[in-house]
Amino acid sequence: MMSMIDREPQALDVLDDAGRKVLFTEARTANTFAEVAVADDELAMIWELARWSPSAANGQPLRVLFVRTREGKERLVGHLDEGNRAKTLSAPAVAILAYDVDFHEQMPTVFPARGDMLRAAFADQVGAREGIAAYNSALQTGVFLLAVRAAGLAAGPMAGFNKAGVDEEFFAGTSWRSQLVVNIGHPGADPWFPRLPRVPVEDAVTYA
């Protein structure tokens, strides 16, 4: 019988060149958007991909509010930095990415083997939950942006907004806290700024 040591390692699929271009090397942050609606099934596809992101203990604290109506965007733009307002009003869809401070309530569902124990352990640790939720939702946010690209759409992430104002406007009375605003749609006229340089490999990567 073949032992664990003798077994061949599992071969994983490698993303092809076209996929790498869509997700990484040719993907850009969009600054203008075409007047083409983003459909419900496109938003559903984004979340279906994004929800598989890794997170500590599979806690999955990321939450999303999709804003598509003119009324919803006008409620949002008052809390954005002035330079971000026109872009958001022109975007067919806008995602307010948030984290759930009470993510621990879902632990029995997302981590059945230890969920009850984890939920009880975090019950009185609001500060710890805040830090864990913020960090892990940031990991999930990166995957969310890749999911937008994988769905054939362009993303325009923006951190320039009043988080307290957005939380009061959209999440009052809930355990959600805003993290990032992402404009979503098909790129419009002259959507890209010139490609900026990357940090040189020798300054970013080392080995031990």
Side-chain angles (χ1 to χ4, degrees):
M1 181 178 292
M2 182 180 293
S3 71
M4 292 292 293
I5 297 176
D6 296 329
R7 290 179 182 174
E8 290 291 329
Q10 181 181 357
L12 300 177
D13 293 335
V14 176
L15 195 65
D16 63 16
D17 287 342
R20 294 177 194 180
K21 289 178 181 178
V22 167
L23 297 182
F24 298 103
T25 58
E26 293 188 6
R28 309 291 300 278
T29 293
N31 293 284
T32 68
F33 296 90
E35 294 183 8
V36 178
V38 174
D40 288 348
D41 59 353
E42 291 178 300
L43 297 179
M45 182 191 302
I46 292 169
W47 180 247
E48 177 57 34
L49 295 172
R51 72 192 188 99
W52 299 102
S53 169
S55 56
N58 202 35
Q60 305 172 50
L62 183 67
R63 305 290 183 262
V64 183
L65 170 62
F66 287 116
V67 181
R68 289 188 298 178
T69 66
R70 181 73 184 191
E71 177 187 10
K73 292 174 192 175
E74 288 175 349
R75 289 172 58 197
L76 175 59
V77 295
H79 304 288
L80 302 183
D81 291 356
E82 187 172 354
N84 292 331
R85 295 174 183 174
K87 289 185 288 187
T88 294
L89 286 173
S90 69
V94 185
I96 303 176
L97 303 187
Y99 57 85
D100 188 352
V101 176
D102 290 345
F103 70 92
H104 67 300
E105 296 291 353
Q106 295 284 343
M107 294 310 298
T109 298
V110 299
F111 201 152
R114 296 168 57 191
D116 290 331
M117 179 271 290
L118 289 167
R119 180 170 62 181
F122 281 123
D124 297 323
Q125 299 187 39
V126 178
R129 295 202 314 264
E130 179 92 26
I132 291 169
Y135 177 78
N136 282 278
S137 67
L139 293 178
Q140 292 184 274
T141 290
V143 176
F144 182 92
L145 297 178
L146 294 178
V148 173
R149 296 169 177 177
L153 296 165
M158 304 181 302
F161 66 97
N162 180 341
K163 292 186 177 182
V166 169
D167 290 350
E168 180 63 27
E169 185 74 41
F170 292 97
F171 305 136
T174 77
S175 55
W176 293 20
R177 306 289 183 268
S178 56
Q179 178 92 313
L180 192 71
V181 173
V182 183
N183 295 326
I184 299 171
H186 296 276
D190 193 23
W192 322 120
F193 292 150
R195 172 69 90 182
L196 294 173
R198 306 293 99 177
V199 174
V201 173
E202 59 272 19
D203 293 337
V205 179
T206 187
Y207 301 88

